[in-house]
Amino acid sequence: MSERHINIKLKVWRQKNKSDKGNMEEYALSGVSTDMSFLEMMDTLNEKLTKEDKQPVAFDHDCREGICGMCSMYINGQPHGPLKGVTTCQLHMRTFNDGDTIVVEPWRSAAFPVLKDLIVDRTAFDRIQHAGGFISINTGAAPDANAIPVPKENADEAFLAAQCIGCGACVAACKNSSAMLFTAAKVSQYALLPQGQAERYRRVEAMVAQMDKEGFGACTNTGACSAECPKEISISHIARMNRDYLGAKSTSNAI
Amino acid sequence: MTALNSKIPAGSLGDKWKNHKFNLKLVNPANKRKYDIIVVGTGLAGASAAASLAELGYNVTTFCFQDSPRRAHSIAAQGGINAAKNYKNDGDSVYRLFYDTLKGGDYRAREANVHRLAEVSVNIIDQCVAQGVPFAREYGGLLDNRSFGGAQVSRTFYAKGQTGQQLLLGAYSAMNKNINSGGIKSFTRHEILDIVVVDGQARGVIARDMITGEVTRHSAHAVVLCTGGYGNVFYLTTYARGSSGTAIWRAHKKGAMMANPCYTQIHPTCIPVTGDHQSKLTLMSESLRNDGRIWAPSKQGDTRKANEIPESERDYYLERRYPAFGNLVPRDIASRAAKERCDAGFGVGTSKLAVYLDYASAVERYGRQEAGKKGIANPDQNTIETLGREVVKAKYGNLFDMYTQITGENPYKEPMRIYPAVHYTMGGLWVDYNLMTSIPGLYACGEANFSDHGANRLGASALMQGLADGYFVLPYTIGDYLAGTERKSIPNDTKEFMDAEKAVKDELNKLISINGKSTVHEIQRELGLIMWNHCGMGRTESGLKEGISKMRALKDQFQKDVKVTGTNEELNQTLEKAGRVADFLELGELMMVDALNRNESCGGHFREEYQTEDGEALRDDANFMYAAAWEWTGESGKQKLNKEDLNYEFVKPSQRSYK
Ligand SMILES: Cc1cc2nc3c(=O)[nH]c(=O)nc-3n(C[C@H](O)[C@H](O)[C@H](O)COP(=O)(O)OP(=O)(O)OC[C@H]3O[C@@H](n4cnc5c(N)ncnc54)[C@H](O)[C@@H]3O)c2cc1C
Ligand code: SF4
Ligand code: FES
């Protein structure tokens, strides 16, 4: 596809730190190559700001190939921008047109406080995983890998759930700031595998309890999470988690 | 001269590790909780080490610079992980994996280390499956394998094109279990900026909280660096943008030797550079060479589109030059072959610095197979291609999607354009057989050390090494050291800690106070260009000398003219980057010094003066059969060379042949 050069206007959320109120700032960028990734466009803006003795825009990024889950921009009202199944870092400027105004904000959720500009604190996700996102097997205690065959369909389905990159777009997309899709992806992965059975019900209870404690909202099945998820994690995992959760509650010894 | 003792145990190859484990001192379970261990880095090496050490009972503290341990660069590994399981019954064995890895590394690694790696490889797969890692499976429910370069057996386990992600999430889950039970305390968004040495022993680290800028001191009985590779010294690479050499470089300046810093892996199949704006290069996994065929036009300067070039005018140059291994030759060889074609005028694309990776014949082959399975007697071309593309999509879909995102082209219909890019560093901190650096109590695991890959790493063996070190080697060897040290806790307010903290703060303030005109980004790009042009795929004496002087000039410019906006007391990404670039400027110089010293070609280190008649790397075993371990003497570029001789007791090194 041939390269074009476009002029764009950016409206970017600027916030000095956690306690600052923050506001939108406007910037103009000209001659942006359509072969650039969105983050490379932001790099260009930052280089320009630095040269003007202004503070560059802080944003999270690392792998720049859609797998680490670091990048997290709310672009024109959509987490990770307009394309389906694509993270911010994989979005390219060929998606935009000359003269476009692009609005860039951080994830918005009480459970993800803004740290600076477009960077938010997502450690709540880690704490949900600490609560139960594991199979309790110590190093060295494992049986031969082929001792337990796993039906290919189950393994494949578990893999699809395990593809979650922990970016938080599901929370940002949800009007209730629910973290159900993220939590369900992990619960479902283990629930589908024989290795995950022993702790199946304890796990779901612990993870859901932590999720609630972190202040994420309830799920009202609107499906925005799955629609905006860059890894297209299916909402069916939420249904599986709900079933397990009810099962766990009806047999639970926990108070 | 500091004596380099590799501590390789005596005995037969197969007994060394077994006997060594038995002879290592143990720490009794009740005492383990009295020892504190700091693990820097939570990639495959760090996460697996932290979890395993915590399970043993040690108090573990981890650090990473991302906002979660799960985001370490290991997450991006695509193709797979090797293990000598021989599930395919195709003749694999521990010895064969050992031999392939040693040969792939062009006989510049230690036999004992590589054999241990091959031995524990089988346990890794068991461990990961038990953790719930969803590896690819066959219809019978058993694990599937694919082939990787430098091997003629199928021993690579994989999870689509996201093997690193799945393995890292497995190791992260093991960490989470131990965070939950209190065995691990995890610090995120913290960058380690110095190692603290007390009475000659590593006793802690200095960290900067990347949200507040606060600089803090952390003490422990031992420190483990699992901070990954330093390939970003080349700027445009397949690494995550944050990957740096900072932790190992600062350890180097505190006395840890850097071994074989010039050994860099340039991966043959990456999406080529398109313009100045580019911030990284994206790998197209080596697994694609299982089914894809690499070619260049057989006519120089051919400007036709790929699909318009007839079969008879395509040069499948790897299959031509290396009939036995074909498209699956090791990476260094495939990369040089691509460069050779492009330099000779056969390159494609606008830059002419690219060759084709073609899936047409794989689509055709799979399409016919599928049609057969479905009982379609005489499938037309359209049916074949549709069915074939579905199979290719199932195997490599995410890689093909990535290619489309970046280039805007459809690789199912036209061949991908690829070119080599910097991908991995075989060099790193020198470690002995116990993975301890030349500073007692300081360990290095994973890509951060130099241990197992010699002068070239085979595909799918970095994941194997990271997990081997973390799950199965370090947990044994570190006890041997700890058992001989005092149990009382290490104070973090002694002079050594206070001095190190002050030095770190001074350095940060200095970076901000220069307030010149060159941006960090400009200097970093220039640095990358110097490295690529002078220390890349082809190196020469004169080129390296010129590179070194350019690097010194750039360092000068940096120190006088760099511009870092903002303050130290806030989240400041420019400041973070400036510190990493400062270290790369010195590390890059040492890489060139090392490359200049090594008057031979081996693996990824190709000195153009030393090649065979048909352009292969020409080793000089008589003079360079050693690991070069460089010792800091107080001035960049003036490191002292220490040699660890490599003794080949079991395998006779020969000229590598993949023909
Ligand atoms: C695109 C790509 C694909 C790959 N595919 C494969 C493959 O298919 N098979 C294979 O075997 N290998 C592959 N590799 C290589 C492999 O992924 C890496 O070599 C390996 O993952 C490195 O793991 P590690 O644990 O040593 O370090 P990393 O995963 O790089 O982790 C480094 C850790 O250290 C931390 N850190 C670094 N510096 C500091 C500091 N100063 N302070 C605090 N924390 C710090 C980081 O936060 C991170 O947690 C691939 C590499 C790339 C780039
Ligand atoms: S479920 Fe999707 S959107 Fe949510 S964190 Fe995972 S990858 Fe991101
Ligand atoms: S930067 Fe890693 S997913 Fe976008």
Side-chain angles (χ1 to χ4, degrees), chain A residues 34-96:
Chain A
T34 49
D35 277 349
M36 278 187 192
S37 70
F38 198 85
L39 296 186
E40 285 162 356
M41 182 276 291
M42 293 298 291
D43 291 341
T44 313
L45 170 68
N46 278 346
E47 207 44 19
K48 183 169 167 239
L49 291 175
T50 307
K51 296 232 167 200
E52 292 166 359
D53 259 324
K54 294 183 185 137
Q55 280 253 21
V57 181
F59 61 88
D60 264 333
H61 67 102
D62 200 21
C63 74
R64 296 202 173 194
E65 54 184 68
I67 193 75
C68 73
M70 211 58 190
C71 63
S72 46
M73 292 184 192
Y74 200 75
I75 302 167
N76 287 343
Q78 280 181 289
H80 293 303
L83 297 189
K84 208 171 150 45
V86 167
T87 54
T88 303
C89 59
Q90 289 180 300
L91 182 64
H92 277 64
M93 294 310 290
R94 63 180 80 92
T95 311
F96 299 93

Side-chain angles (χ1 to χ4, degrees), chain A residues 166-182:
Chain A
C167 62
C170 44
V171 174
C174 175
K175 64 179 167 46
N176 309 321
S177 283
S178 164
M180 284 290 267
L181 192 62
F182 167 79

Side-chain angles (χ1 to χ4, degrees), chain B residues 552-564:
Chain B
R552 289 195 181 142
L554 188 65
K555 186 176 161 192
D556 224 44
Q557 183 190 343
F558 179 89
Q559 286 173 342
K560 293 200 183 102
D561 193 47
V562 76
K563 180 187 187 74
V564 179

Side-chain angles (χ1 to χ4, degrees), chain B residues 91-393:
Chain B
D92 201 11
S93 62
V94 165
Y95 191 83
R96 189 178 293 280
L97 175 55
F98 152 76
Y99 180 80
D100 286 349
T101 308
L102 205 66
K103 174 183 169 192
D106 216 354
Y107 304 100
R108 287 292 175 270
R110 290 182 194 138
E111 284 181 320
N113 281 60
V114 179
H115 198 273
R116 174 176 67 189
L117 177 65
E119 283 172 54
V120 303
S121 71
V122 297
N123 305 109
I124 295 173
I125 304 302
D126 300 342
Q127 188 64 33
C128 296
V129 165
Q131 287 167 347
V133 170
F135 281 120
R137 287 178 186 267
E138 298 170 338
Y139 282 101
L142 302 181
L143 295 165
D144 193 17
N145 291 113
R146 53 167 60 142
S147 312
F148 258 60
Q152 287 173 313
V153 294
S154 259
R155 62 160 77 96
T156 306
F157 295 79
Y158 67 100
K160 265 207 176 166
Q162 290 114 293
T163 316
Q165 179 195 29
Q166 295 311 318
L167 294 174
L168 182 58
L169 293 181
Y172 164 74
S173 75
M175 263 184 82
N176 289 337
K177 168 169 77 83
N178 291 288
I179 291 174
N180 182 281
S181 61
I184 297 179
K185 185 164 168 33
S186 149
F187 286 89
T188 59
R189 291 199 199 268
H190 274 70
E191 186 167 21
I192 299 306
L193 296 178
D194 208 358
I195 311 300
V196 183
V197 179
V198 181
D199 296 332
Q201 287 169 306
R203 290 304 202 187
V205 296
I206 306 293
R208 177 174 179 274
D209 179 330
M210 294 157 79
I211 301 173
T212 62
E214 193 191 354
V215 174
T216 48
R217 309 178 301 270
H218 305 263
S219 62
H221 295 86
V223 176
V224 187
L225 297 183
C226 307
T227 51
Y230 50 84
N232 271 343
V233 65
F234 288 86
Y235 183 57
L236 277 185
T237 71
T238 63
Y239 282 84
R241 292 295 73 205
S243 296
S244 81
T246 287
I248 61 169
W249 192 251
R250 303 210 177 172
H252 173 59
K253 287 174 128 178
K254 282 289 175 82
M257 287 186 218
M258 271 295 286
N260 304 330
C262 80
Y263 288 172
T264 311
Q265 175 157 86
I266 306 206
H267 194 294
T269 56
C270 303
I271 302 178
V273 179
T274 54
D276 288 345
H277 57 261
Q278 236 163 334
S279 60
K280 82 159 282 174
L281 297 175
T282 301
L283 175 75
M284 288 288 105
S285 166
E286 179 161 314
S287 59
L288 291 172
R289 286 199 272 145
N290 265 277
D291 283 318
R293 299 176 71 195
I294 293 178
W295 61 275
S298 44
K299 217 171 74 193
Q300 265 170 338
D302 198 329
T303 52
R304 286 175 292 179
K305 287 207 175 103
N307 289 339
E308 290 163 6
I309 301 179
E311 195 58 30
S312 60
E313 292 174 46
R314 298 176 174 194
D315 174 18
Y316 296 90
Y317 57 86
L318 289 176
E319 298 168 32
R320 169 170 59 79
R321 288 179 63 181
Y322 307 100
F325 281 69
N327 290 295
L328 286 175
V329 290
R331 292 173 176 177
D332 54 334
I333 292 179
S335 289
R336 273 197 294 280
K339 178 176 188 289
E340 187 276 329
R341 283 292 81 188
C342 295
D343 290 353
F346 297 91
V348 301
T350 35
S351 66
K352 299 286 164 213
L353 286 176
V355 294
Y356 290 123
L357 175 60
D358 198 335
Y359 261 70
S361 55
V363 166
E364 173 92 19
R365 179 163 42 87
Y366 284 124
R368 283 189 187 285
Q369 274 174 16
E370 284 303 295
K373 279 189 209 161
K374 290 192 160 55
I376 308 174
N378 285 312
D380 57 26
Q381 197 54 29
N382 202 8
T383 312
I384 293 175
E385 281 178 19
T386 311
L387 290 173
R389 279 186 195 133
E390 274 167 25
V391 177
V392 169
K393 190 175 162 101

